[in-house]
Amino acid sequence: MPARILVLGGSFAGMTAAVSIKSQLGAEAEVTVVADRDLFVFNPSLIWVPFGNRARAGISFPLAPTFARRGVRFVHAAATAVDADAHRVDTTEGSFDYDYLVIATGYRNDLDVVPGMRETNTITSLPAAERTATAWTEFLKDPGDVVIGATQSASCFGAAYEFLFNTSYQLRKLGLHKQVTLTYVTAEPYAGHFGIDGMPGAKAMMGMFARMEGIRVVTGKAMEAIHPDRIVLDDGDELPYRFSMVVPPFRGQDFLAATPGLVDAGSYVPVRPTYQSQRYDDVYAVGIAAAVPVPWTTAVPVGIPKTGFPSEQQAHVAAKNVVAQVRGGAPTHEKPFDRIPALCIMDAGNNGVAMVADAMLPPRKAAVMIPGPQNHLAKIAFEKYSLAKMRAGAVALP
C-alpha cells in the first residue's frame, strides 16, 4: 500500500516538499497537498504592486495544474485541526489520514501588535498589497509626508527596505521628492540589521543609501499606536504622515495550537535539524511554520526572516527524510536553519543590493554585500525564473 503523505500549504515550502517527495517515491507514495489558497503568489514581487508595476495576473498562477502535472493531489481547503496521535487532519473539505505530515502553512500577520495596525497599509499579502495600491493612488492626489516602518517583533525587514527605497524612487520620478519628508522607523537596533545581524558593511551601506535619498531613519523604536495621520512611538515621539506602510510581525497558524506539544507561543512548530517536530517523529514543519529561536537580545524585539530560499532548503531536507522513512531508513539528513546560506537581492527602484553569506545567522565565515543598479535587473530576472520554475513544479532546480 502506498505511503500517505499529507502536505499542508502550497507555497514555496509546501510545493517544494510535495513535488520533491513524489518525484523520489513515485508509486510508493500518494501525496496530497491541502492549502487554503488556490494560487501560488511570488511574494517578493509584492513590493511593486502598490506602484502599479505588477498586478495579480503577472505574479501568481493556479496551483492545481502544477500539482496535477507532478502527480500530486491538490485540495483547496483550510486545515482546521491536527490529531497527531490519530494521524489525521481535519479541513473544511473533510478529514485526511496520513502516514507522514509536512506542515508548510506559512504565516499570518499579527495585526494586534499595535493598536491601529489592522487599518494600516501593508504589503505582506497580495490582497493587502492591492489595498495599499489604492491608498497610494489616493495619496498622489494630495501628497504629504510618508512613513515606512516595521513594528516590534517584525521579521520581514527586506520587504520594508525594498518598499522604502522604491517609494523614494517613485517620489523622484513624480517630482515629489523635495516636497515630501520620507521616514523609516524600525525595531532594528541599527539600519541594516535585517533580522539576521552582522552582514559586513550593512550598517554603513544602509546609512549611505538613506543619506543619498534624504530619508530620515529612526531605529530601535517600538510603535505605541498607529493613527490615521501619525504613528506614536514608545518614547512619545510622533511621526505624522499622509501615506504609510508598516510591516507587522508574523505568527503561525492558530489551529495548530490545539495539538498538544506541537507549537510554541507563536504557533510555530519547534523542529529538530531534520525538520521533524520535536514531539512527533512523523510530523515535519518547514518554511515559516518552523520555529527558529532568536539568538540575540535587542532592546526592542526583532524577528528572523524565514521566507523564500530558506523555506525551499528546509523543504528539501524534510523531503529527503520522509523518503528515507517511507523506505524503512532513518531520517539522517540535517541542515539547521542558522547554517542555511543567505541569498537575497534587495531592489531599490533603479538600484539595489545583493547579499550573499555562507550562513543565515552569525557566526559566518564568508559574507558580502554588493550594491549597484545591476541588482534591479537581477531581481527582475530572478522573479521571471522563479515563477517559471514553480509553475512547472521544477523544484529540483536551484
Side-chain angles (χ1 to χ4, degrees), residues 334-351:
E334 297 184 353
K335 186 176 284 188
F337 178 86
D338 62 344
R339 297 302 92 195
I340 293 174
L343 177 60
C344 178
I345 302 173
M346 189 186 81
D347 181 64
N350 63 345
N351 207 332

PDB file of all heavy atoms in Angstrom, residues 334-351:
ATOM      1  N   GLU A 334      20.273  16.557   7.663  1.00  0.00           N
ATOM      2  CA  GLU A 334      20.147  17.702   8.563  1.00  0.00           C
ATOM      3  C   GLU A 334      20.717  18.964   7.904  1.00  0.00           C
ATOM      4  O   GLU A 334      21.701  18.904   7.170  1.00  0.00           O
ATOM      5  CB  GLU A 334      20.890  17.458   9.874  1.00  0.00           C
ATOM      6  CG  GLU A 334      20.350  16.294  10.692  1.00  0.00           C
ATOM      7  CD  GLU A 334      21.062  16.160  12.035  1.00  0.00           C
ATOM      8  OE1 GLU A 334      22.054  16.898  12.255  1.00  0.00           O
ATOM      9  OE2 GLU A 334      20.624  15.331  12.850  1.00  0.00           O
ATOM     10  N   LYS A 335      20.081  20.074   8.163  1.00  0.00           N
ATOM     11  CA  LYS A 335      20.602  21.383   7.776  1.00  0.00           C
ATOM     12  C   LYS A 335      19.952  22.416   8.686  1.00  0.00           C
ATOM     13  O   LYS A 335      18.904  22.972   8.354  1.00  0.00           O
ATOM     14  CB  LYS A 335      20.331  21.716   6.314  1.00  0.00           C
ATOM     15  CG  LYS A 335      20.994  23.031   5.854  1.00  0.00           C
ATOM     16  CD  LYS A 335      20.782  23.295   4.382  1.00  0.00           C
ATOM     17  CE  LYS A 335      21.671  22.420   3.535  1.00  0.00           C
ATOM     18  NZ  LYS A 335      21.619  22.794   2.093  1.00  0.00           N
ATOM     19  N   PRO A 336      20.545  22.673   9.857  1.00  0.00           N
ATOM     20  CA  PRO A 336      19.951  23.648  10.787  1.00  0.00           C
ATOM     21  C   PRO A 336      19.737  24.995  10.103  1.00  0.00           C
ATOM     22  O   PRO A 336      20.534  25.405   9.246  1.00  0.00           O
ATOM     23  CB  PRO A 336      20.992  23.744  11.904  1.00  0.00           C
ATOM     24  CG  PRO A 336      21.773  22.468  11.817  1.00  0.00           C
ATOM     25  CD  PRO A 336      21.800  22.110  10.360  1.00  0.00           C
ATOM     26  N   PHE A 337      18.675  25.680  10.503  1.00  0.00           N
ATOM     27  CA  PHE A 337      18.321  26.944   9.851  1.00  0.00           C
ATOM     28  C   PHE A 337      19.477  27.925   9.840  1.00  0.00           C
ATOM     29  O   PHE A 337      19.729  28.583   8.823  1.00  0.00           O
ATOM     30  CB  PHE A 337      17.116  27.575  10.548  1.00  0.00           C
ATOM     31  CG  PHE A 337      16.729  28.908   9.968  1.00  0.00           C
ATOM     32  CD1 PHE A 337      15.883  28.991   8.878  1.00  0.00           C
ATOM     33  CD2 PHE A 337      17.228  30.095  10.501  1.00  0.00           C
ATOM     34  CE1 PHE A 337      15.535  30.210   8.317  1.00  0.00           C
ATOM     35  CE2 PHE A 337      16.892  31.327   9.958  1.00  0.00           C
ATOM     36  CZ  PHE A 337      16.043  31.376   8.861  1.00  0.00           C
ATOM     37  N   ASP A 338      20.193  28.043  10.949  1.00  0.00           N
ATOM     38  CA  ASP A 338      21.232  29.073  11.020  1.00  0.00           C
ATOM     39  C   ASP A 338      22.407  28.791  10.103  1.00  0.00           C
ATOM     40  O   ASP A 338      23.213  29.673   9.821  1.00  0.00           O
ATOM     41  CB  ASP A 338      21.711  29.268  12.460  1.00  0.00           C
ATOM     42  CG  ASP A 338      22.345  28.019  13.051  1.00  0.00           C
ATOM     43  OD1 ASP A 338      22.164  26.922  12.491  1.00  0.00           O
ATOM     44  OD2 ASP A 338      23.030  28.141  14.086  1.00  0.00           O
ATOM     45  N   ARG A 339      22.512  27.547   9.578  1.00  0.00           N
ATOM     46  CA  ARG A 339      23.602  27.194   8.667  1.00  0.00           C
ATOM     47  C   ARG A 339      23.170  27.209   7.206  1.00  0.00           C
ATOM     48  O   ARG A 339      23.983  26.943   6.310  1.00  0.00           O
ATOM     49  CB  ARG A 339      24.161  25.820   9.017  1.00  0.00           C
ATOM     50  CG  ARG A 339      24.803  25.699  10.393  1.00  0.00           C
ATOM     51  CD  ARG A 339      25.952  26.677  10.580  1.00  0.00           C
ATOM     52  NE  ARG A 339      25.500  27.950  11.182  1.00  0.00           N
ATOM     53  CZ  ARG A 339      26.223  29.061  11.200  1.00  0.00           C
ATOM     54  NH1 ARG A 339      27.398  29.106  10.636  1.00  0.00           N
ATOM     55  NH2 ARG A 339      25.748  30.153  11.768  1.00  0.00           N
ATOM     56  N   ILE A 340      21.903  27.486   6.925  1.00  0.00           N
ATOM     57  CA  ILE A 340      21.458  27.637   5.545  1.00  0.00           C
ATOM     58  C   ILE A 340      22.098  28.899   4.969  1.00  0.00           C
ATOM     59  O   ILE A 340      22.113  29.946   5.623  1.00  0.00           O
ATOM     60  CB  ILE A 340      19.923  27.737   5.475  1.00  0.00           C
ATOM     61  CG1 ILE A 340      19.284  26.404   5.897  1.00  0.00           C
ATOM     62  CG2 ILE A 340      19.466  28.106   4.068  1.00  0.00           C
ATOM     63  CD1 ILE A 340      17.775  26.459   5.998  1.00  0.00           C
ATOM     64  N   PRO A 341      22.630  28.856   3.755  1.00  0.00           N
ATOM     65  CA  PRO A 341      23.226  30.071   3.176  1.00  0.00           C
ATOM     66  C   PRO A 341      22.197  31.190   3.024  1.00  0.00           C
ATOM     67  O   PRO A 341      21.007  30.938   2.825  1.00  0.00           O
ATOM     68  CB  PRO A 341      23.720  29.593   1.805  1.00  0.00           C
ATOM     69  CG  PRO A 341      23.885  28.120   1.948  1.00  0.00           C
ATOM     70  CD  PRO A 341      22.802  27.677   2.894  1.00  0.00           C
ATOM     71  N   ALA A 342      22.664  32.406   3.123  1.00  0.00           N
ATOM     72  CA  ALA A 342      21.816  33.577   2.897  1.00  0.00           C
ATOM     73  C   ALA A 342      22.001  34.047   1.457  1.00  0.00           C
ATOM     74  O   ALA A 342      23.127  34.196   0.987  1.00  0.00           O
ATOM     75  CB  ALA A 342      22.192  34.694   3.867  1.00  0.00           C
ATOM     76  N   LEU A 343      20.886  34.248   0.768  1.00  0.00           N
ATOM     77  CA  LEU A 343      20.925  34.707  -0.615  1.00  0.00           C
ATOM     78  C   LEU A 343      19.738  35.637  -0.832  1.00  0.00           C
ATOM     79  O   LEU A 343      18.594  35.206  -0.791  1.00  0.00           O
ATOM     80  CB  LEU A 343      20.859  33.521  -1.573  1.00  0.00           C
ATOM     81  CG  LEU A 343      20.814  33.824  -3.073  1.00  0.00           C
ATOM     82  CD1 LEU A 343      22.047  34.595  -3.504  1.00  0.00           C
ATOM     83  CD2 LEU A 343      20.666  32.539  -3.870  1.00  0.00           C
ATOM     84  N   CYS A 344      20.011  36.917  -1.053  1.00  0.00           N
ATOM     85  CA  CYS A 344      18.926  37.891  -1.165  1.00  0.00           C
ATOM     86  C   CYS A 344      19.319  39.005  -2.121  1.00  0.00           C
ATOM     87  O   CYS A 344      20.475  39.444  -2.132  1.00  0.00           O
ATOM     88  CB  CYS A 344      18.618  38.475   0.222  1.00  0.00           C
ATOM     89  SG  CYS A 344      17.325  39.731   0.223  1.00  0.00           S
ATOM     90  N   ILE A 345      18.355  39.430  -2.932  1.00  0.00           N
ATOM     91  CA  ILE A 345      18.542  40.604  -3.786  1.00  0.00           C
ATOM     92  C   ILE A 345      17.533  41.658  -3.349  1.00  0.00           C
ATOM     93  O   ILE A 345      16.326  41.430  -3.413  1.00  0.00           O
ATOM     94  CB  ILE A 345      18.334  40.277  -5.269  1.00  0.00           C
ATOM     95  CG1 ILE A 345      19.301  39.173  -5.715  1.00  0.00           C
ATOM     96  CG2 ILE A 345      18.533  41.532  -6.118  1.00  0.00           C
ATOM     97  CD1 ILE A 345      19.049  38.677  -7.109  1.00  0.00           C
ATOM     98  N   MET A 346      18.028  42.777  -2.864  1.00  0.00           N
ATOM     99  CA  MET A 346      17.161  43.855  -2.391  1.00  0.00           C
ATOM    100  C   MET A 346      17.030  44.899  -3.489  1.00  0.00           C
ATOM    101  O   MET A 346      18.015  45.517  -3.886  1.00  0.00           O
ATOM    102  CB  MET A 346      17.737  44.482  -1.124  1.00  0.00           C
ATOM    103  CG  MET A 346      16.796  45.468  -0.448  1.00  0.00           C
ATOM    104  SD  MET A 346      17.559  46.326   0.942  1.00  0.00           S
ATOM    105  CE  MET A 346      18.470  47.615   0.075  1.00  0.00           C
ATOM    106  N   ASP A 347      15.815  45.098  -3.991  1.00  0.00           N
ATOM    107  CA  ASP A 347      15.577  46.064  -5.055  1.00  0.00           C
ATOM    108  C   ASP A 347      15.380  47.456  -4.463  1.00  0.00           C
ATOM    109  O   ASP A 347      14.826  47.609  -3.373  1.00  0.00           O
ATOM    110  CB  ASP A 347      14.343  45.667  -5.859  1.00  0.00           C
ATOM    111  CG  ASP A 347      14.082  46.633  -7.000  1.00  0.00           C
ATOM    112  OD1 ASP A 347      14.929  46.705  -7.899  1.00  0.00           O
ATOM    113  OD2 ASP A 347      13.058  47.335  -6.950  1.00  0.00           O
ATOM    114  N   ALA A 348      15.817  48.466  -5.216  1.00  0.00           N
ATOM    115  CA  ALA A 348      15.670  49.848  -4.756  1.00  0.00           C
ATOM    116  C   ALA A 348      15.183  50.748  -5.878  1.00  0.00           C
ATOM    117  O   ALA A 348      15.611  51.889  -6.000  1.00  0.00           O
ATOM    118  CB  ALA A 348      16.991  50.360  -4.185  1.00  0.00           C
ATOM    119  N   GLY A 349      14.321  50.230  -6.719  1.00  0.00           N
ATOM    120  CA  GLY A 349      13.760  51.044  -7.783  1.00  0.00           C
ATOM    121  C   GLY A 349      14.574  50.960  -9.054  1.00  0.00           C
ATOM    122  O   GLY A 349      14.209  50.278  -9.999  1.00  0.00           O
ATOM    123  N   ASN A 350      15.709  51.648  -9.082  1.00  0.00           N
ATOM    124  CA  ASN A 350      16.640  51.532 -10.203  1.00  0.00           C
ATOM    125  C   ASN A 350      18.031  51.195  -9.696  1.00  0.00           C
ATOM    126  O   ASN A 350      19.029  51.391 -10.373  1.00  0.00           O
ATOM    127  CB  ASN A 350      16.684  52.827 -11.021  1.00  0.00           C
ATOM    128  CG  ASN A 350      17.191  54.009 -10.200  1.00  0.00           C
ATOM    129  OD1 ASN A 350      17.240  53.936  -8.976  1.00  0.00           O
ATOM    130  ND2 ASN A 350      17.544  55.090 -10.879  1.00  0.00           N
ATOM    131  N   ASN A 351      18.075  50.661  -8.494  1.00  0.00           N
ATOM    132  CA  ASN A 351      19.326  50.325  -7.828  1.00  0.00           C
ATOM    133  C   ASN A 351      19.060  49.098  -6.961  1.00  0.00           C
ATOM    134  O   ASN A 351      17.982  48.495  -7.059  1.00  0.00           O
ATOM    135  CB  ASN A 351      19.809  51.507  -6.981  1.00  0.00           C
ATOM    136  CG  ASN A 351      21.313  51.529  -6.805  1.00  0.00           C
ATOM    137  OD1 ASN A 351      21.971  50.490  -6.843  1.00  0.00           O
ATOM    138  ND2 ASN A 351      21.874  52.726  -6.641  1.00  0.00           N
TER     139      ASN A 351
END
